[in-house]
Amino acid sequence: MKVCDIIEKLGLTVFSGEQGLDREITGGYTSDLLSDVMGNSEEGQVWITLQTHKNVMAVASLKDVAAIIIVKGFQPEEGTINQSNDEDIPLLGTDMEAFEVSGRLYELLNN
Amino acid sequence: MEFKYDVEGGNFAKAGHAASAVKKVLKQLNVNPKVIKRVVVALYEGEVNVVAHAFKGRIIADIDPSRIYIKIEDQGPGIPDIDLAMQVGYSTASSKVREMGFGAGMGLPNMKKNADKLQISSNVGKGTVVELTTYFNS
Ligand SMILES: Nc1ncnc2c1ncn2[C@@H]1O[C@H](COP(=O)(O)OP(=O)(O)OP(=O)(O)O)[C@@H](O)[C@H]1O
Ligand SMILES: [Mg+2]
């Protein structure tokens, strides 16, 4: 499954990083602790978080995640958006909470 | 090959700058992507620790065909008890830093897990030196 497929299926907003929409998804990781994501996420996962600042993109790009979903309707900061465009890592958004969007993504990826 | 990067305490906007630069260099050198990941995880954590806990620092990355050696030297409060600091969950991060999602007390453990060699020495009230070595065909 590609990033563009989950956007449609989960009704996600695309903030930036459109060039990366055909990235392949291998799984997901839900966490708001950057060192946890740094240590435990894997390449190709979708990272689900409520963090909106630029360091999120630094972690995402070092770990080569497929995309980031910002939950609960939070808006990414401008620096985050710019770096997402530079790195071609899509920054997505939803009004859902982390629990719900994680569950729905899990279901999509495992069916 | 030697590369040097300056790190500013408190400047989170620039945190990860050195790790990202080193990642590009290692990619160009065709280092195994799995090894690159380990190097950048350890370096990123060291870099962020300078930003979060110290005043300023300097990173030197020395690359030869067999390994990368990284030295992260800072001027800052130092670490009074290194064994305690190495424990998962131990953190003195401020509440502002925690709100950003730092301060899980996982940075040093991540460095230990991802480097082949990790050495930390610290002078309380002066600063900290972290040395990381990772071999390319490990
Ligand atoms: N360069 C440093 N200078 C001073 N103290 C440090 C330094 N690096 C680490 N420490 C101390 O060691 C503790 C543990 O560091 P560690 O990186 O494991 O966790 P953290 O930085 O608090 O949180 P996290 O890395 O999960 O965001 C820190 O909270 C701090 O007290
Ligand atoms: Mg840390």
Side-chain angles (χ1 to χ4, degrees), chain A residues 46-83:
Chain A
V46 173
W47 176 16
I48 297 166
T49 183
L50 54 68
Q51 299 291 351
T52 58
H53 57 83
K54 202 179 155 207
N55 296 92
V56 166
M57 281 313 307
V59 172
S61 108
L62 290 171
K63 297 291 304 213
D64 292 308
V65 306
I68 298 165
I69 302 177
I70 298 180
V71 297
K72 287 168 76 169
F74 289 125
Q75 300 289 312
E77 292 176 12
E78 200 185 316
T80 318
I81 290 177
N82 293 340
Q83 204 180 334

Side-chain angles (χ1 to χ4, degrees), chain B residues 19-128:
Chain B
S20 153
V22 165
K23 184 180 179 185
K24 284 203 186 92
V25 172
L26 295 180
K27 251 189 179 166
Q28 268 162 12
L29 293 172
N30 281 317
V31 173
N32 178 339
K34 287 209 168 77
V35 177
I36 297 182
K37 283 265 157 41
R38 299 182 69 225
V39 172
V40 299
V41 168
L43 174 53
Y44 177 81
E45 294 292 1
E47 194 179 349
V48 169
N49 276 353
V50 175
V51 176
H53 307 296
F55 312 133
K56 64 173 186 173
R58 159 60 70 93
I59 295 173
I60 295 171
D62 178 77
I63 303 172
D64 75 18
S66 68
R67 59 104 183 96
I68 179 168
Y69 164 80
I70 297 167
K71 184 173 179 179
I72 307 166
E73 201 164 1
D74 71 54
Q75 291 162 33
I79 306 176
D81 184 341
I82 293 172
D83 288 339
L84 181 63
M86 289 301 301
Q87 288 180 18
V88 176
Y90 178 82
S91 176
T92 60
S94 66
S95 55
K96 190 183 146 250
V97 168
R98 281 172 203 263
E99 259 170 44
M100 293 176 76
F102 296 106
M106 294 178 76
L108 289 172
N110 276 349
M111 287 161 82
K112 191 168 167 63
K113 213 186 307 169
N114 286 284
D116 291 334
K117 272 195 229 161
L118 168 68
Q119 192 162 341
I120 304 174
S121 59
S122 192
N123 213 328
V124 174
K126 287 225 167 81
T128 302

